[in-house]
Every structure is written in C-alpha cells, then in structure tokens.
Amino acid sequence: MTYLLPPLNALRAFEAAARHLSFKQAAHELHVTAGAVSQQVRLLEERLGVQLFERRTRQVILTCAGETYLARVRQGFRCLAEATAELKPEGVTSLLHIAVHASFALDRLRARLAQFRRAQPQVAVRISQPAGLHELLEGKVDVVIAERVYRYPGYRCEPLDSGFLICPLGTADCPEIETLRSCLLGHLDLEPPARTKARLLAELASPARRPSKPFFSA
C-alpha cells in the first residue's frame, strides 16, 4: 500500500514552525534558513489547499486548520519517535527547558519535578531562572512558569497554585507538557515503588492483618 503523504521535509518545517510559532526559530532548529522553512510551509499549504498559518509582521499564528492538522502530524511524529526509541537503548531521548520567574521557589519546583522525572524518565529537564516570556518568544525555552498572567496570540496561559504556566499552543497538549502541568498542580498520582508495593502486600498477607473470623456469617 502506497501512502499519499506530503514531503517529510515540509511536514518537519510545519511542525517546527508551529511549535515555535516562528520560522526563524524553526530554521535554527532544523539548521536551514528561515526562507527555506517559509518555502516548505508554503509548498505544504499549496499541496493541501488550505492556509496553515496566519502571517503577521513579526510572528506567525496557526489557523484553525493549522491547529487541527498539527495535532495529527504530531501524533504521527510521536508514533515514529516511539518506534525509533524502541530500537535504541533506554535513556534520555529529549530535553524540556523550563523558564522560571525570579521569585519562584526552586525547592518547591524540584520536589514537583521529581514526580515528573519518575513519570517521564526519558525526558531531561533544564531550569533557567530568572527567565520569562521573552525567552519563550525567542525559542530559548519550551515553557514558562510566570508570576502573572500574560495573554499572547498563539500561546496558552494556565493558572497554577503559584503563578501561571505558559507554552505555545502547538505543544500545550503534548504528553511532556501535560505531565508537567499535572505535577505542578499536584494532580499526578504515581504508583508506589516496587519495594513499597511488596511491603504493602506482605503486610496484607501477614496473619496479624487477617481477620480472626469471617466478616459475614450465615
């Protein structure tokens, strides 16, 4: 069976540009020029017959069609990445760069990130403090923990217990960001370590924990 697919380079350019909301940053990631990224995206739009980006003076924003297509493209890339990772030895395969505002307590963040690392062991974490929206817009970080609300086209701002989580719409629903969000909100429940589970099972099986007679009798 032959799949009718757009060129892979065009899809990579589109996904990177959508993730950064910048042709320049996508070009930096892909080691090409911004003009080459723009051309690949334009070719993809012509092939699909739809506009994927709204082009503004210093920024590009996904259209509704672009957001819908991005979700499916990222799903396809994720399947390819997972299939590739299965062929590689276990270890770190990606990096999540987090910007944190100056007054945020890093000790509290590190405790939450310990949960993140257990849930996403293949993702390394880097923290930059102080850093904020400026670094995010320049593509230097992947996500920002900000002190106050920022409304910026193409970015999602969500409240945390302390501060706000800001990231591009293109990556807001990816597994790594969803896990980070859950950890920061304290909503991530991880299974206890194997040793703890074994101890719990042993306690439940011990004679001291067994009832001396049935709970119900005829």
Side-chain angles (χ1 to χ4, degrees):
M1 177 178 178
T2 302
Y3 294 96
L4 299 177
L5 298 174
L8 181 58
N9 283 340
L11 291 175
R12 291 184 65 202
F14 164 68
E15 192 277 334
R19 180 158 29 86
H20 293 291
L21 292 178
S22 166
F23 289 163
K24 181 179 178 181
Q25 293 301 324
H28 179 74
E29 176 184 320
L30 299 174
H31 305 289
V32 296
T33 65
V37 172
S38 178
Q39 182 181 18
Q40 288 290 340
V41 171
R42 182 71 69 182
L43 290 173
L44 181 61
E45 290 177 321
E46 291 176 356
R47 176 158 182 162
L48 298 175
V50 296
Q51 184 178 355
L52 301 173
F53 289 101
E54 178 185 340
R55 292 157 174 83
R56 299 188 177 184
T57 304
R58 293 186 178 181
Q59 188 186 15
V60 290
I61 299 175
L62 285 166
T63 63
C64 291
E67 289 184 14
T68 301
Y69 192 53
L70 174 63
R72 303 302 295 271
V73 169
R74 293 190 74 252
Q75 183 181 10
F77 279 0
R78 189 178 302 123
C79 289
L80 289 172
E82 290 173 354
T84 303
E86 289 176 358
L87 300 177
K88 290 185 175 182
E90 293 185 2
V92 173
T93 60
S94 59
L95 172 69
L96 180 64
H97 196 168
I98 304 173
V100 183
H101 67 82
S103 60
F104 193 87
L106 282 184
D107 289 342
R108 181 182 180 185
L109 177 60
R110 290 191 181 99
R112 297 294 175 88
L113 288 180
Q115 288 184 313
F116 177 85
R117 292 189 182 96
R118 289 196 295 271
Q120 298 279 350
Q122 78 285 358
V123 181
V125 176
R126 179 184 298 166
I127 301 173
S128 292
Q129 187 188 42
L133 186 63
H134 178 72
E135 285 76 13
L136 182 64
L137 295 179
E138 289 189 347
K140 295 179 179 179
V141 299
D142 300 305
V143 64
V144 171
I145 299 176
E147 188 174 12
R148 59 182 183 272
V149 176
Y150 289 95
R151 300 298 183 191
Y152 206 88
Y155 289 81
R156 182 185 296 179
C157 181
E158 299 175 289
L160 302 172
D161 293 338
S162 176
F164 297 85
L165 185 68
I166 306 174
C167 60
L169 285 174
T171 59
D173 296 321
C174 73
E176 295 82 0
I177 300 300
E178 288 183 344
T179 302
L180 176 65
R181 185 184 303 115
S182 297
C183 289
L184 294 175
L185 291 172
H187 294 167
L188 186 65
D189 293 326
L190 297 176
E191 292 185 4
R195 183 179 300 175
T196 303
K197 292 172 68 176
R199 184 165 55 249
L200 288 173
L201 291 173
E203 290 178 358
L204 290 173
S206 65
R209 297 296 300 270
R210 294 173 183 168
S212 57
K213 57 183 179 180
F215 289 110
F216 300 98
S217 58

